[in-house]
């Protein structure tokens, strides 16, 4: 038996190219369906983990998926905007703690997330260096932002204009970096966090400018009527908030009507959450409330349906591959007819010759299955980190 296995091994080693092609084909066709299931399962866990710890999201009526993706991962287009009054409405209900979000602007490729300090506690985010924002114009960087830009506390970042053709748009705001967060391996690592009011400054709803009573601002005065001064377009607006000009920044209109993109609602208990959801069931309500976990599971249902079609296609390819491999072995037997006759003439029994040929086939199949198993183990071990890197950029 040992001699038979040795001869089988020497044959496969001699025809290494054919053996490598067969083993590679069998490895891939075995690994792909299994590996796909592993990767989809890991992706599903990554996508739903953040949604499952976010009880409720409130926003303007529109696409629940767009609202969830923008609020959880800061990556989708900005959903229809609601107003800060919606956050006040939830707070006044006493049923949940609201955490408003305004995810609209960016600095380079990184999203700027306007929120409150409660967000850090809710997500379990801690500061690695520096501190959290406390004054208008300050920001805190996610760990990946700080690493990619090579900056930290004491440096500055500048918001990007929404459109290079928006000549009447708001000046980019230069923000002071006061802290860098510990890595959380979530979307928070790739975000720049500011106070809601700072986000409104970026939009131009809150702004500061020259003191119009100062002599150097005389050229910017259009007219004076008692204590009311009307400025013209030449007045200088500040695009950086400093201790010297922070007092000049002021609101126009009521803060309740200022825009936000969503509110994370953290109910006091399950009953409070159910009551709160019921208050948004009215057909004429301009806002919606969604459960992110439900929205993401519906998205995953679509992905899993697609996976079933992909697996079915892979199984068809597997059948074709196995048929091709069988054909290769059959053709190999015909080409080795003289070799088999020679082994028979020198005393090899039919059983020995059959065992030799079967050993070669089993060795190829076994090598393919073992390599596929190794790839599956590597995917299970390192796939989650790779998926996280792909999902979070």
């Amino acid at each position: 038996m040992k001699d038979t296995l040795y001869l089988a091994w020497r044959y496969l080693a001699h025809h290494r190219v054919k053996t490598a092609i067969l083993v590679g084909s069998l490895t891939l066709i075995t690994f792909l369906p299994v590996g796909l299931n592993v990767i989809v399962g890991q992706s599903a866990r990554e996508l739903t983990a953040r949604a499952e710890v976010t009880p409720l999201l409130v926003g303007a009526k529109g696409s629940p998926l767009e609202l969830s993706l923008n609020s959880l991962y800061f990556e989708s287009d900005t959903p229809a905007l609601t107003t800060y009054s919606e956050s006040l409405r939830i707070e006044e209900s006493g049923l949940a703690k609201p955490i408003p979000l305004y995810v609209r602007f960016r600095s380079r490729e990184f999203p700027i997330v306007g929120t409150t300090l409660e967000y850090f506690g809710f997500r379990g985010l801690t500061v690695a260096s520096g501190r959290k924002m406390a004054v208008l114009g300050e920001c805190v960087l996610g760990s990946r932002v700080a690493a990619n830009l090579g900056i930290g506390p004491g440096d500055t970042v500048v918001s990007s204009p929404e459109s290079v053709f928006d000549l009447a748009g708001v000046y980019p705001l230069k923000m002071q970096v006061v802290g860098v967060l510990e890595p959380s391996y979530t979307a928070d690592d790739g975000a720049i966090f500011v106070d809601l009011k700072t986000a409104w400054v970026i939009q131009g709803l809150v702004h500061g400018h020259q003191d119009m009573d100062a002599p150097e601002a005389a050229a910017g005065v259009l007219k004076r009527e008692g204590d009311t001064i009307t400025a013209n377009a030449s007045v200088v607006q500040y695009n950086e908030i400093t201790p010297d000009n922070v007092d000049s920044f002021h609101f126009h209109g009521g803060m309740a009507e200022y825009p936000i993109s969503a509110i994370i609602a953290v109910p006091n208990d399950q009953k409070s959450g159910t009551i709160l959801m019921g208050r948004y069931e009215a057909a004429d309500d301009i806002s919606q409330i969604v459960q992110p976990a439900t929205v993401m599971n519906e998205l995953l249902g679509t992905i899993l349906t697609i996976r079933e079609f992909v697996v079915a296609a892979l199984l068809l390819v597997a059948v074709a591959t196995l048929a091709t491999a069988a054909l290769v072995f059959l053709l190999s037997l015909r080409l080795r007819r003289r070799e088999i006759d020679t082994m028979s003439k020198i005393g090899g029994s039919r059983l020995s010759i059959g065992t030799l040929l079967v050993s070669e086939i089993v060795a190829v199949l076994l090598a393919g299955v073992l390599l596929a198993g190794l790839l599956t183990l590597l995917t299970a071990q390192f796939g989650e980190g790779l998926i996280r890197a792909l999902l979070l950029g």
Side-chain angles (χ1 to χ4, degrees):
M1 185 65 180
K2 186 184 296 184
D3 295 337
T4 302
L5 295 177
Y6 177 76
L7 288 173
W9 161 248
R10 292 309 306 160
Y11 176 83
L12 294 174
H14 180 71
H15 298 279
R16 59 178 66 91
V17 175
K18 182 186 77 171
T19 302
I21 292 173
L22 287 171
V23 171
S25 300
L26 292 171
T27 298
L28 288 176
I29 209 60
T30 306
F31 165 72
L32 286 176
V34 179
L36 179 63
N37 279 324
V38 172
I39 290 173
V40 169
Q42 291 175 335
S43 300
R45 286 194 296 273
E46 284 294 322
L47 283 171
T48 57
R50 194 167 170 86
E52 287 172 352
V53 296
T54 307
L56 298 170
L57 279 175
V58 178
K61 277 193 174 176
S63 168
L65 179 59
E66 192 174 69
L67 176 65
S68 299
L69 291 176
N70 179 265
S71 304
L72 296 177
Y73 304 103
F74 319 133
E75 287 299 332
S76 74
D77 293 336
T78 305
L81 299 178
T82 185
T83 61
Y84 187 68
S85 61
E86 203 62 49
S87 179
L88 299 176
R89 172 185 172 186
I90 296 172
E91 186 175 14
E92 290 168 0
S93 73
L95 298 171
K97 178 176 72 175
I99 304 175
L101 296 172
Y102 194 18
V103 187
R104 175 177 175 180
F105 305 103
R106 307 183 81 83
S107 176
R108 301 188 188 183
E109 70 272 24
F110 302 108
I112 297 173
V113 180
T115 186
T116 59
L117 293 178
E118 284 78 11
Y119 181 86
F120 298 98
F122 173 69
R123 292 295 187 200
L125 303 176
T126 56
V127 177
S129 60
R131 58 175 174 80
K132 297 174 184 176
M133 64 268 191
V135 179
L136 200 67
E138 294 181 341
C139 67
V140 175
L141 306 182
S143 59
R144 193 167 68 253
V145 179
N148 287 2
L149 299 181
I151 59 177
D155 296 314
T156 58
V157 294
V158 181
S159 62
S160 303
E162 290 187 285
S163 171
V164 294
F165 301 106
D166 184 12
L167 301 179
V170 181
Y171 293 113
L173 180 66
K174 188 176 183 181
M175 298 171 288
Q176 187 76 23
V177 178
V178 296
V180 175
L181 297 174
E182 291 277 2
S184 63
Y185 306 103
T186 66
D188 297 319
D189 291 343
I192 300 171
F193 294 93
V194 300
D195 184 72
L196 269 180
K197 294 179 182 178
T198 302
W200 292 331
V201 171
I202 296 174
Q203 188 171 342
L205 300 174
V206 181
H207 65 262
H209 49 67
Q210 292 172 293
D211 182 0
M212 300 312 297
D213 286 324
E216 60 270 19
V221 176
L222 189 62
K223 64 178 181 178
R224 295 177 183 265
E225 294 180 358
D227 293 333
T228 303
I229 300 175
T230 303
N232 60 33
S234 67
V235 64
V236 177
Q237 292 191 22
Y238 299 122
N239 64 347
E240 181 179 6
I241 302 171
T242 66
D244 295 330
N245 65 25
V246 65
D247 291 335
S248 72
F249 281 78
H250 52 277
F251 290 79
H252 288 273
M255 186 169 144
E257 299 308 312
Y258 279 31
I260 55 176
S261 55
I263 305 109
I264 298 173
V266 186
N268 301 329
D269 48 45
Q270 187 174 359
K271 180 181 178 181
S272 298
T274 303
I275 295 173
L276 184 64
M277 291 181 68
R279 294 190 177 182
Y280 285 87
E281 291 299 320
D284 58 346
D285 201 318
I286 61 173
S287 300
Q288 64 173 332
I289 188 167
V290 300
Q291 293 177 297
T294 301
V295 174
M296 297 309 297
N297 284 330
E298 290 175 355
L299 174 62
L300 288 174
T302 303
I303 295 174
L304 293 176
T305 300
I306 296 172
R307 181 198 63 176
E308 292 174 1
F309 286 107
V310 174
V311 170
L314 288 174
L315 290 176
L316 291 176
V317 174
V319 172
T321 302
L322 291 174
T324 303
L327 179 62
V328 170
F329 282 117
L330 290 174
L331 291 175
S332 177
L333 289 177
R334 295 181 68 86
L335 292 173
R336 297 173 64 187
R337 176 60 59 188
R338 291 181 61 186
E339 177 187 340
I340 294 171
D341 289 342
T342 300
M343 285 190 289
S344 179
K345 288 177 181 179
I346 62 176
S349 65
R350 287 189 174 184
L351 179 61
S352 300
I353 296 171
T355 302
L356 172 63
L357 299 176
V358 171
S359 298
E360 294 171 3
I361 296 172
V362 171
V364 170
L365 293 173
L366 187 61
V369 171
L370 289 176
L371 284 175
L374 177 61
L375 288 176
T376 302
L377 288 175
L378 292 174
T379 301
Q381 183 71 26
F382 302 106
E384 196 165 325
L386 180 60
I387 291 167
R388 187 182 294 122
L390 291 173
L391 287 175
L392 303 179

